[in-house]
Amino acid sequence: MLNFPRLLSLLIKIDQETVLKWFGLEDNSNLYAYQTNDYGYDLNVSNFETSTDISVETFRLIIEGLWEKIQDGLTLADIENILFFVLFVRFIILAFRYNLKTSFYITCIGLFAGYLWYRHLIDLISMYRNVLLKLPFLNKLGMDAVQLRSMHRQMVLTDLKLGEDAHWYDPGQVLYYAFTKGVIHTDPETGFRYYIDPISMAISNLQDSAKSNVLPIYYKIYNKIIPKIYDICSKFWNQLSGVAAYAVITRIGKRYCPYLIRWHWTFLLIIGMIEQIFVYFIYRVYYFQTFIILPQTKMYENYTDPNLLIQMNLLNAVIASVVLAHIGFIIFALFHAILGQYFYLPFFVENTELHIGPRPKNSIYSGGQTAWQEPKEKEKSLNRLLPKLWYGWFGRGTGNGLKLNFNLRKLLKKIFKR
């Protein structure tokens, strides 16, 4: 049976032009041809060149185009384009290897695991936004973080005023706005706002002598106490919702949750405890640099203390190193997740697998390889004083490196011959 009919349901013509448009790149390899005559330029339709099929030239154009785009800095849109292209290519490869149904399931599992890391990446750049604006290559990420934060604030203000953006996945917000809209009524002519709930209606029927004693307590409860309780509950839910979702999906629904998602989600929760140390360290360094050292350098216009310049440069190097290493690691983990792979980090991986157990090797939905779980590696780790730091690319192990390189050489030769 031919493999090509499996792709007919996609209804996508995959050629060089389609791939380049995915990345927002221009195809400069095929230019329109013009014929000139005595009266000027004449366009000949027969001289048009159609887009070519995918080849080594396509990948060269992708690399060159992406390199030109990221010269000015990396953005969230660039990361998203690369991620979805990798997911699409992986879906095609798995469709040839298995079938469309299995490929769709495996791709969705990787997409969900990658989404966890992507949301964490957005939270991270939001925390580092002031620092990212000062870094040359990551300043656009900082600008994206500032825009996302301003959009979030605008949505919150809109919700507080109108209550039109309450969603089904936020039941507390839905109940709150349903209650407030059902209780609060505004007179369109006078603009006077009053409550029509049973308690308010009962208080409105009280005598004037009793109202003077009851109304201050009534307005204090409705205008201060109830909104304060709602703010406390919503903040508590925002902090607890992630852990609650983790417990429901990976603990209660362990039978239905793939191992890849459980592994990456548990790893993300464990490493989040250590990340706060680096985040607050950068906050303190940035504060010390901005509000203590920088004002001292501006005290004298014609003279600057060389020690202050050394401190500024040293702190810039510390900030850039920590932030780049932190964001780089999150992106590294993000690509492992969408590819259905695992990676090793001492102490964190062991604690992760203590919670969820070893990878089931008899399922194609469990993801890539975990060489550190092999019995031979476990025996070797018992005799080591220091933990092993590297288990090969995608957790495949380091014992078959020569074989992998040799097969890669053969594959590249075949591609260039074609």
Side-chain angles (χ1 to χ4, degrees):
M1 180 180 178
L2 296 175
N3 291 324
F4 182 74
R6 300 180 186 178
L7 300 177
L8 293 179
S9 61
L10 299 177
L11 299 178
I12 298 175
K13 182 182 179 182
I14 304 175
D15 52 15
Q16 179 170 292
E17 185 179 359
T18 303
V19 175
L20 293 178
K21 283 185 177 180
W22 180 284
F23 290 96
L25 305 176
E26 295 182 358
D27 188 1
N28 296 324
S29 59
N30 296 328
L31 300 177
Y32 295 150
Y34 296 89
Q35 289 184 347
T36 59
N37 52 26
D38 296 337
Y39 300 99
Y41 292 94
D42 182 23
L43 183 63
N44 191 354
V45 180
S46 62
N47 291 327
F48 278 93
E49 295 184 7
T50 59
S51 182
T52 59
D53 295 333
I54 297 176
S55 61
V56 179
E57 180 70 15
T58 305
F59 291 100
R60 185 186 66 81
L61 292 173
I62 291 174
I63 294 173
E64 290 180 355
L66 290 178
W67 180 251
E68 291 179 359
K69 289 187 69 174
I70 65 176
Q71 289 294 320
D72 297 332
L74 193 64
T75 63
L76 283 175
D78 297 333
I79 297 175
E80 291 175 359
N81 290 336
I82 295 173
L83 290 177
F84 280 105
F85 179 75
V86 171
L87 281 171
F88 181 75
V89 172
R90 185 168 183 253
F91 172 77
I92 298 298
I93 295 173
L94 292 175
F96 283 115
R97 185 176 180 181
Y98 301 107
N99 51 63
L100 284 175
K101 181 179 178 181
T102 304
S103 176
F104 177 75
Y105 288 160
I106 297 176
T107 306
C108 288
I109 291 171
L111 177 62
F112 188 89
Y115 175 76
L116 298 173
W117 286 102
Y118 184 72
R119 290 297 309 173
H120 186 67
L121 176 65
I122 293 177
D123 295 337
L124 191 64
I125 65 172
S126 297
M127 291 185 287
Y128 283 144
R129 61 187 181 277
N130 293 328
V131 177
L132 292 175
L133 292 174
K134 298 174 60 178
L135 298 178
F137 186 71
L138 300 178
N139 55 357
K140 287 189 175 181
L141 277 179
M143 295 171 62
D144 289 342
V146 173
Q147 292 178 358
L148 289 174
R149 187 175 179 83
S150 62
M151 288 174 59
H152 177 71
R153 287 184 175 179
Q154 187 63 33
M155 289 177 62
V156 170
L157 293 175
T158 304
D159 288 346
L160 291 175
K161 292 179 180 179
L162 302 177
E164 297 178 352
D165 295 331
H167 302 284
W168 62 269
Y169 50 79
D170 196 348
Q173 194 179 37
V174 172
L175 292 176
Y176 177 76
Y177 287 122
F179 175 77
T180 54
K181 284 195 172 183
V183 168
I184 300 174
H185 180 73
T186 304
D187 192 346
E189 296 180 358
T190 62
F192 181 74
R193 188 178 68 171
Y194 55 91
Y195 300 100
I196 57 174
D197 61 287
I199 299 175
S200 302
M201 295 172 68
I203 292 176
S204 64
N205 293 325
L206 294 176
Q207 297 180 359
D208 295 337
S209 59
K211 282 185 180 180
S212 60
N213 297 325
V214 176
L215 285 179
I217 301 174
Y218 166 77
Y219 283 115
K220 186 176 182 180
I221 292 174
Y222 269 77
N223 296 332
K224 293 184 179 180
I225 296 178
I226 293 178
K228 191 67 175 179
I229 292 175
Y230 173 76
D231 292 337
I232 293 173
C233 292
S234 57
K235 289 180 180 178
F236 179 74
W237 174 250
N238 290 333
Q239 297 293 327
L240 189 65
S241 58
V243 180
Y246 169 80
V248 171
I249 296 175
T250 65
R251 292 294 187 179
I252 299 175
K254 178 181 179 181
R255 181 179 178 183
Y256 307 101
C257 184
Y259 181 83
L260 180 74
I261 297 175
R262 289 189 284 122
W263 192 93
H264 281 279
W265 204 342
T266 306
F267 185 93
L268 188 57
L269 288 178
I270 293 175
I271 202 173
M273 303 177 185
I274 308 298
E275 284 181 320
Q276 299 300 319
I277 299 174
F278 296 99
V279 172
Y280 286 108
F281 170 74
I282 294 298
Y283 283 172
R284 294 175 69 88
V285 172
Y286 180 77
Y287 180 87
F288 179 74
Q289 184 188 46
T290 305
F291 297 100
I292 296 178
I293 296 181
L294 190 60
Q296 295 181 17
T297 59
K298 295 181 178 179
M299 291 177 62
Y300 305 100
E301 297 181 356
N302 299 325
Y303 173 76
T304 303
D305 190 354
N307 294 326
L308 295 177
L309 292 177
I310 294 174
Q311 292 182 28
M312 287 288 292
N313 294 330
L314 181 61
L315 293 177
N316 285 330
V318 170
I319 291 174
S321 301
V322 174
V323 172
L324 288 174
H326 196 178
I327 294 179
F329 173 76
I330 300 301
I331 295 176
F332 174 80
L334 171 59
F335 277 96
H336 275 74
I338 64 170
L339 291 172
Q341 303 294 334
Y342 305 92
F343 55 91
Y344 182 78
L345 191 65
F347 178 76
F348 297 100
V349 170
E350 286 83 0
N351 283 274
T352 299
E353 293 170 357
L354 282 175
H355 284 80
I356 62 173
R359 178 179 64 89
K361 299 180 181 179
N362 56 352
S363 175
I364 61 175
Y365 302 106
S366 62
Q369 300 180 13
T370 50
W372 53 88
Q373 294 182 4
E374 300 296 330
K376 294 181 179 179
E377 292 293 341
K378 288 185 177 180
E379 292 179 2
K380 292 179 181 178
S381 63
L382 295 176
N383 299 325
R384 293 192 187 100
L385 295 176
L386 297 176
K388 187 175 180 180
L389 301 177
W390 179 248
Y391 280 92
W393 292 104
F394 303 120
R396 296 179 179 273
T398 56
N400 54 354
L402 294 176
K403 183 178 179 181
L404 287 174
N405 291 336
F406 181 71
N407 292 336
L408 181 61
R409 250 188 236 112
K410 279 187 175 181
L411 180 62
L412 291 175
K413 285 183 180 179
K414 289 182 180 179
I415 291 174
F416 282 112
K417 283 182 180 179
R418 290 180 182 178

